[in-house]
Amino acid sequence: MELKAFKRRARRFAAAACALLLPAAVLFTAPQMAAADPVKPVVTADAKTYDENTGCYHLQGNVTVTSGDRVARMDDAQVSATNLEIWGQGNVSLQKGDELVFTADAVYLEGFAPSATLFGRVKLERPGLVIRAESVTCDWKSGTATFHGHVICIENGKEKVAGTLVYDMESGAVQQYS
C-alpha cells in the first residue's frame, strides 16, 4: 500500500513540475539530441490535462506538433510524456514544407522516429495529382509516403486503383503501385 501511495505522489510531482517549468504555449519538447538526430518536436495546444494513471497528457484545441519543416495539426491529442508518442484526431493535417499537405481523420507521431502515420480518409492533393487511401506512412529519412488500403490515384486526369502506392515526396512522382 505504501509503494502505491509513493508512486502516486511521484506522478503528481512530475506532472506539477512539468506544468510549472514549461511555458503555457510550449507543452513538450524532446530531450536534447545529438547533432545528427532529427530536430526535436514542439507540441502546443489551447488546453491540457494530465492523467496520472496513464502518464499521458490530453491536449485539446488547436494542437500543433512542429518538427523541422513538418507541422501536424489536429483538434485533440493524447501524448505520452515519457516517449513522446502522439495520437491525434479530428481535422488532421500534416504539412511538409510549403506545398505537401496530407489530411486524415487520425495521426500517430513518434517524436523520436523519422516517420508519421495517418489513418482514415487520407488524402494528398497537389496540382495534377490526388491520392486517397485508408492510411499512409511518411518516412522522412527515405523521403517516401507509402499509401495503403483501397488506394485511388488520379494523376493528370488518369485514375489508377491499387492496394499500395509509394510516392516520392521530394520529386513529387509516384514510384510504384501494387
Side-chain angles (χ1 to χ4, degrees):
M1 192 74 135
E2 288 182 53
L3 181 59
K4 271 188 172 177
F6 173 78
K7 285 182 180 179
R8 189 174 30 244
R9 276 186 254 134
R11 282 193 300 264
R12 284 184 190 147
F13 175 77
C18 283
L20 292 173
L21 297 175
L22 297 173
V26 178
L27 297 180
F28 306 97
T29 57
Q32 192 65 28
M33 295 180 249
D37 290 337
V39 176
K40 57 185 176 179
V42 176
V43 182
T44 62
D46 291 342
K48 68 176 180 178
T49 55
Y50 180 73
D51 183 341
E52 66 183 47
N53 293 323
T54 64
C56 291
Y57 286 89
H58 180 207
L59 309 179
Q60 297 170 307
N62 298 310
V63 180
T64 304
V65 180
T66 306
S67 183
D69 69 342
R70 298 180 307 273
V71 179
R73 291 181 178 86
M74 61 217 75
D75 294 335
D76 189 81
Q78 293 75 39
V79 180
S80 168
T82 55
N83 55 10
L84 202 62
E85 287 183 317
I86 302 167
W87 287 96
Q89 56 274 335
N91 297 309
V92 173
S93 70
L94 176 61
Q95 181 173 348
K96 182 181 186 316
D98 293 332
E99 295 181 17
L100 194 61
V101 179
F102 297 86
T103 58
D105 293 330
V107 64
Y108 170 72
L109 304 165
E110 187 177 349
F112 303 111
S115 65
T117 303
L118 291 96
F119 305 93
R121 296 184 298 183
V122 172
K123 181 179 177 183
L124 169 65
E125 193 167 358
R126 297 186 81 172
L129 177 70
V130 176
I131 303 172
R132 294 179 184 268
E134 292 175 4
S135 68
V136 64
T137 300
C138 300
D139 184 333
W140 309 123
K141 238 180 187 174
S142 70
T144 60
T146 305
F147 292 83
H148 301 278
H150 299 88
V151 180
I152 299 171
C153 177
I154 304 169
E155 189 171 21
N156 299 320
K158 296 179 184 176
E159 185 175 313
K160 295 181 183 175
V161 178
T164 303
L165 178 145
V166 179
Y167 175 77
D168 185 314
M169 292 186 280
E170 298 304 317
S171 71
V174 174
Q175 289 183 331
Q176 86 184 57
Y177 294 94
S178 57

